[in-house]
């Protein structure tokens, strides 16, 4: 909780803009990209009598953690495997059991792909209408659209401030617990210490600022100029985050979140443009066998 207090104080929550309200978008289609993040209630997302984690455990519990499919090909990267050493947590079922019991401190399990690991439960999920139209829900467009699950104990954080790949809008649904989102508008790019360099299209989508640095004005003085918004997403709520918003998260309680990337007429041109910009790099990688 130390970290949380530190960041709360630093962000001057209450002085800076906060967005913690509930709009009802449940019957509206977003045909024009919203300029601001929107929070709304979402009660009929999971359409199964068992909680999602129980269904996930029955469907894919025996999957070894390093074998979990993620949108980028991984959920637990090779260098994260060592974080599990000595925890007695080897499979997804072990992780879910330990998460429920809360007796060991677990790494944040991120990017579990609903198109890979959890495809047999995907049909129990109904995306909020506000996440439509979405042209990339098909599993073969997974690299663009990839619906995912995030399971994290209280006190875990996504880490670095970043914006999502291409120029996708992102929909989040909070299934259990409470998650804090810190969001910076696209115009804050000059203040969030984004990595420079356009050769690799995703490289300019990450920053040097970690969640724990959000109040470190000595190391990151330009952060003072930024306009972060704080949202606490509670179970039963959804967040629609427009393309190119910088963001990071912190799990205030044990938390389970779904997310999906959204592409439609509002951002398809930017997404294709950025994907194509990456092709030369992929070719070079292939040729050099990097
Ligand atoms: O749910 C989270 O912790 C953050 C997810 C996220 O920022 C992302 O996938 O880009």
């Amino acid at each position: 909780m130390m970290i949380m207090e530190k960041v709360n104080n630093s962000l001057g929550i209450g002085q800076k803009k906060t967005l913690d309200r509930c709009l009802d978008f449940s019957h509206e289609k977003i045909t024009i990209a919203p300029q601001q993040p929107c929070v709304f209630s979402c009660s009929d997302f999971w359409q199964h009598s068992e909680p999602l984690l129980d269904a996930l455990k029955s469907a894919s519990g025996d999957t070894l953690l390093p074998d979990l499919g993620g949108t980028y090909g991984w959920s637990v990267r090779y260098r994260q495997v060592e974080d599990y050493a000595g925890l007695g947590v080897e499979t997804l079922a072990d992780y879910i059991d330990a998460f429920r019991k809360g007796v060991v401190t677990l790494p944040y399990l991120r990017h579990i792909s609903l198109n890979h690991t959890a495809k047999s439960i995907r049909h129990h999920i109904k995306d909020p209408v506000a996440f439509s139209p979405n042209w990339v829900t098909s599993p073969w467009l997974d690299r663009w659209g990839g619906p995912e699950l995030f399971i994290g104990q209280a006190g875990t954080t996504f880490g670095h401030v970043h914006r999502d790949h291409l120029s996708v809008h992102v929909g989040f649904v909070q299934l259990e617990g409470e998650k804090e989102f810190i969001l910076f508008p696209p115009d804050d790019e000059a203040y969030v210490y984004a990595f420079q360099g356009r050769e690799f299209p995703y490289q300019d989508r990450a920053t040097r600022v970690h969640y724990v640095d959000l109040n470190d004005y000595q190391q990151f003085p330009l952060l003072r100029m930024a306009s972060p918004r704080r949202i606490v997403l509670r179970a039963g709520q959804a967040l629609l985050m427009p393309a190119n918003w910088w963001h990071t998260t912190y799990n205030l309680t044990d938390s389970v979140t779904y997310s999906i990337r959204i592409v439609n007429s509002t951002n398809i041109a930017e997404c294709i443009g950025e994907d194509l910009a990456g092709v030369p790099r992929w070719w070079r990688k292939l040729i050099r066998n990097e």
Side-chain angles (χ1 to χ4, degrees):
M1 275 299 120
M2 290 281 288
I3 292 172
M4 190 58 224
E5 279 157 22
K6 185 177 167 217
V7 175
N8 267 346
N9 291 341
S10 69
L11 277 177
I13 304 272
Q15 296 159 29
K16 290 221 166 87
K17 285 184 197 164
T18 63
L19 182 86
D20 194 3
R21 65 206 158 106
C22 206
L23 308 175
D24 183 6
F25 275 99
S26 47
H27 301 295
E28 269 183 55
K29 284 198 175 209
I30 305 290
T31 47
I32 297 173
Q35 297 301 306
Q36 299 287 329
C38 305
V39 175
F40 54 95
S41 57
C42 169
S43 50
D44 59 349
F45 171 81
W46 175 242
Q47 310 215 323
H48 193 286
S49 51
E50 277 188 305
L52 185 145
L53 282 197
D54 294 343
L56 180 63
K57 184 176 154 184
S58 309
S60 312
D62 53 5
T63 312
L64 291 169
L65 291 176
D67 296 342
L68 282 179
T71 312
Y72 308 104
W74 46 260
S75 291
V76 176
R77 282 195 241 204
Y78 57 92
R79 65 172 183 272
Q80 294 165 339
V81 172
E82 61 204 45
D83 296 344
Y84 290 88
L87 296 182
V89 173
E90 282 167 14
T91 63
L92 183 57
D94 294 340
Y95 187 97
I96 292 171
D97 288 342
F99 178 74
R100 286 283 181 243
K101 288 186 195 134
V103 286
V104 287
T105 301
L106 293 166
Y108 190 7
L109 187 52
R110 305 176 297 172
H111 301 294
I112 303 172
S113 166
L114 278 155
N115 284 333
H116 298 284
T117 300
K119 63 179 170 222
S120 63
I121 64 166
R122 197 183 168 188
H123 63 284
H124 298 304
I125 283 171
K126 191 173 133 213
D127 277 336
V129 182
F131 293 175
S132 62
N134 188 1
W135 298 346
V136 292
T137 53
S138 163
W140 65 272
L141 289 170
D142 191 55
R143 205 172 73 78
W144 278 37
E148 302 179 320
L149 293 172
F150 292 74
I151 309 172
Q153 286 180 327
T156 48
T157 167
F158 188 87
H160 287 88
V161 174
H162 63 284
R163 48 183 187 164
D164 275 23
H165 75 322
L166 307 178
S167 281
V168 293
H169 308 302
V170 188
F172 298 90
V173 178
Q174 190 64 17
L175 296 159
E176 293 186 22
E178 294 186 0
K179 172 171 281 180
E180 178 190 40
F181 286 79
I182 305 295
L183 307 170
F184 297 84
D187 287 351
D188 274 355
E189 176 163 357
Y191 313 131
V192 293
Y193 296 85
F195 286 111
Q196 298 302 311
R198 304 267 157 182
E199 188 189 9
F200 182 51
Y202 308 152
Q203 190 180 346
D204 65 343
R205 295 192 161 270
T207 76
R208 289 166 50 214
V209 178
H210 191 280
Y211 179 86
V212 294
D213 300 324
L214 286 168
N215 64 334
D216 190 345
Y217 297 133
Q218 214 166 359
Q219 197 186 350
F220 299 111
L222 294 177
L223 277 180
R224 282 190 195 281
M225 317 272 284
S227 316
R229 323 276 160 96
R230 176 178 185 261
I231 293 173
V232 175
L233 204 65
R234 303 192 164 87
Q237 291 186 320
L239 163 66
L240 183 58
M241 181 179 72
N244 292 321
W245 278 65
W246 303 92
H247 58 284
T248 189
T249 62
Y250 181 88
N251 289 310
L252 295 166
T253 68
D254 288 358
S255 154
V256 181
T257 314
Y258 162 88
S259 76
I260 188 163
R261 278 63 78 81
I262 301 165
V263 178
N264 56 35
S265 61
T266 61
N267 57 346
I268 183 85
E270 290 83 353
C271 290
I272 291 176
E274 194 168 332
D275 213 9
L276 290 178
V279 169
R281 163 76 183 174
W282 291 121
W283 268 112
R284 275 200 297 280
K285 241 177 115 121
L286 206 69
I287 291 163
R288 288 186 207 142
N289 200 18
E290 280 172 14

